[in-house]
Amino acid sequence: MNKVYQEAPSNIAIVKYWGKKGIQEPMNASLSFTMSKSISKIEIQHAHSEEELKIDFLFDGQKKDSFLPKIQDFIKRNEKHLSNITSGILKINSSNTFPHSSGIASSASSMAALAKGLYSINQSIGNEQEYNPQVVSEMARLGSGSASRSTQTGWVLWGKTDELQGSSDHYGIEINNQIHENFHSLQDSILVIRKGAKSVSSTVGHQLMDNHPFKEGRLKQANKNIKKLISALKQGDFKIFTEVCEEEAMSLHALMMSSSPGYTLMAPETLRAIKRINKFRDSNHVPLTYTLDAGPNIHLIYPKEQSKIVHPFIKEHLAPLCEDESVIYDEISMPLQQ
Ligand code: 2P0
């Protein structure tokens, strides 16, 4: 019997991945940071036998057979890296530290944890010591694109760009050694405007970019923003960071609204909250910005030292716009050795 435990964080993209090419490769490079408290955990046991591979999947300790096709598909796509698990019994037990309906992307963290877990159990069975982060990120990408940015820690770039040597459409790379200390301790407070499932899946959203009338413009914009963001992160420039962050958030939603069919993913409270954030920032001159995922919830981003002024503002003016006044106070996770 072999047993491994792994975990992987959720991430939030500042420059967004929206649109694919080839097999799960991105139309443009994206750049995100991983979160500290929003984590997927996975425990995998493998019992050896010569019989055909059998998988048991549990989520929060409960059997969830509905997930099995996704896992089988994941194993099939990654079979060249999983040569030691072609037979026997695989028992996978997974859980998240954040609520399912919180609007935090769970596919990134759960697919990243699955990739790390399966890679590790395969190494453990074969008695192999190597841990290749690029292979693990590539495996995660084949499960879910954004998961390729969740197998590592901190600031991770996924997608080939002239701005960064070693970048690849196949896997994410950590760029923490290039990041100014101003961006080492960002807070990410999630305003849960609406709980519950998204109205359109990201996979469908990506597909809508294939024939989108603004596809070329989007590509140019993303390339410009990657360059601008990398420079801002190196310089420690929160003003430029803010420009990129909000342009990307709004563009993602504008692309969804202008696709065919179109989707409105914001809720009225999303816009109300954004107005309040802008007003608060203008009157208090606080470095504070926001981004959005493909849904109505807002990630409010600010340096840790601003917490004492931002938190009372959240409680008084933003939490009332959230469902059940729900706000999740998370922050960036950075590798220990910086
Ligand atoms: C991102 N999102 O960069 C963008 C911004 C949501 C908005 O990547 O089809 O779950 O599994 O590759 O990664 C969400 O899409 O899509 C996503 P698949 P994924 O984070």
Side-chain angles (χ1 to χ4, degrees):
M1 170 83 79
N2 292 75
K3 187 171 170 176
V4 297
Y5 172 81
Q6 287 285 351
E7 50 183 53
S10 185
N11 74 68
I12 179 71
I14 305 302
V15 172
K16 311 290 185 186
Y17 149 56
W18 205 240
K20 310 184 193 199
K21 59 183 167 67
I23 300 174
Q24 202 64 351
E25 290 179 22
M27 201 173 86
N28 59 271
S30 57
L31 181 44
S32 64
F33 62 80
T34 55
M35 286 145 75
S36 279
K37 297 180 194 153
S38 306
I39 308 268
S40 290
K41 301 177 172 191
I42 200 159
E43 194 185 88
I44 304 185
Q45 291 177 36
H46 180 261
H48 179 76
S49 92
E50 295 302 327
E51 311 225 332
E52 196 186 340
L53 185 69
K54 180 178 176 292
I55 304 168
D56 275 344
F57 180 75
L58 290 92
F59 187 77
D60 279 341
Q62 305 280 327
K63 227 171 169 342
K64 270 264 188 309
D65 287 346
S66 56
F67 278 55
L68 285 178
K70 234 184 167 175
I71 294 169
Q72 280 155 346
D73 198 39
F74 183 90
I75 292 176
K76 180 111 202 67
R77 280 182 168 205
N78 285 302
E79 63 190 356
K80 71 173 176 194
H81 299 300
L82 301 175
S83 55
N84 298 324
I85 29 180
T86 52
S87 65
I89 300 172
L90 204 56
K91 192 169 173 184
I92 303 176
N93 204 333
S94 171
S95 63
N96 295 334
T97 58
F98 51 96
H100 175 59
S101 56
S102 62
I104 296 173
S106 63
S107 75
S109 56
S110 57
M111 280 297 161
L114 184 65
K116 288 173 84 173
L118 287 174
Y119 180 87
S120 305
I121 195 95
N122 187 70
Q123 298 294 86
S124 156
I125 296 165
N127 227 344
E128 293 157 39
Q129 304 299 321
E130 182 208 29
Y131 186 90
N132 185 333
Q134 292 179 353
V135 168
V136 181
S137 173
E138 182 161 10
M139 287 172 66
R141 180 197 108 230
L142 293 173
S144 185
S146 53
S148 66
R149 302 187 309 243
S150 270
T151 54
Q152 295 166 88
T153 307
W155 291 94
V156 179
L157 178 127
W158 167 46
K160 183 96 192 100
T161 164
D162 293 341
E163 304 308 318
L164 215 80
Q165 258 199 345
S167 57
S168 168
D169 285 342
H170 294 259
Y171 47 80
I173 50 170
E174 280 186 13
I175 60 164
N176 298 309
N177 58 3
Q178 307 198 34
I179 305 287
H180 191 281
E181 65 178 347
N182 289 357
F183 292 104
H184 284 208
S185 59
L186 290 184
Q187 303 297 290
D188 178 6
S189 295
I190 301 144
L191 310 175
V192 186
I193 301 284
R194 289 277 190 284
K195 299 180 179 176
K198 293 184 284 187
S199 54
V200 57
S201 78
S202 292
T203 305
V204 170
H206 288 294
Q207 277 165 7
L208 290 170
M209 286 309 294
D210 289 346
N211 298 306
H212 199 290
F214 304 147
K215 184 173 173 176
E216 251 179 65
R218 167 58 192 155
L219 257 176
K220 273 196 195 143
Q221 181 193 43
N223 292 336
K224 176 200 76 177
N225 279 342
I226 275 286
K227 186 174 179 167
K228 221 172 138 176
L229 179 59
I230 292 174
S231 162
L233 293 174
K234 282 182 180 168
Q235 305 294 321
D237 190 329
F238 203 88
K239 188 168 169 284
I240 304 283
F241 175 75
T242 298
E243 282 174 23
V244 175
C245 210
E246 296 175 20
E247 185 181 309
E248 282 289 313
M250 289 307 188
S251 296
L252 170 69
H253 283 254
L255 288 165
M256 282 304 278
M257 284 186 205
S258 54
S259 58
S260 182
Y263 293 93
T264 307
L265 303 179
M266 291 189 208
E269 292 84 353
T270 313
L271 291 170
R272 244 175 249 144
I274 289 172
K275 278 201 164 176
R276 289 183 188 181
I277 294 163
N278 288 338
K279 198 171 158 202
F280 172 79
R281 178 167 60 191
D282 289 348
S283 18
N284 294 282
H285 309 287
V286 178
L288 168 71
T289 186
Y290 63 85
T291 189
L292 305 163
D293 239 331
N297 301 332
I298 298 175
H299 288 246
L300 203 57
I301 298 171
Y302 46 96
K304 196 182 185 87
E305 62 272 18
Q306 300 298 332
S307 299
K308 46 185 182 309
I309 171 159
V310 175
H311 288 187
F313 163 64
I314 294 177
K315 285 191 185 101
E316 193 175 339
H317 297 286
L318 301 178
L321 297 172
C322 299
E323 191 167 337
D324 301 330
E325 304 230 345
S326 173
V327 179
I328 296 172
Y329 293 90
D330 208 331
E331 60 187 304
I332 188 171
S333 56
M334 288 290 278
L336 289 175
Q337 295 295 322
Q338 276 301 303

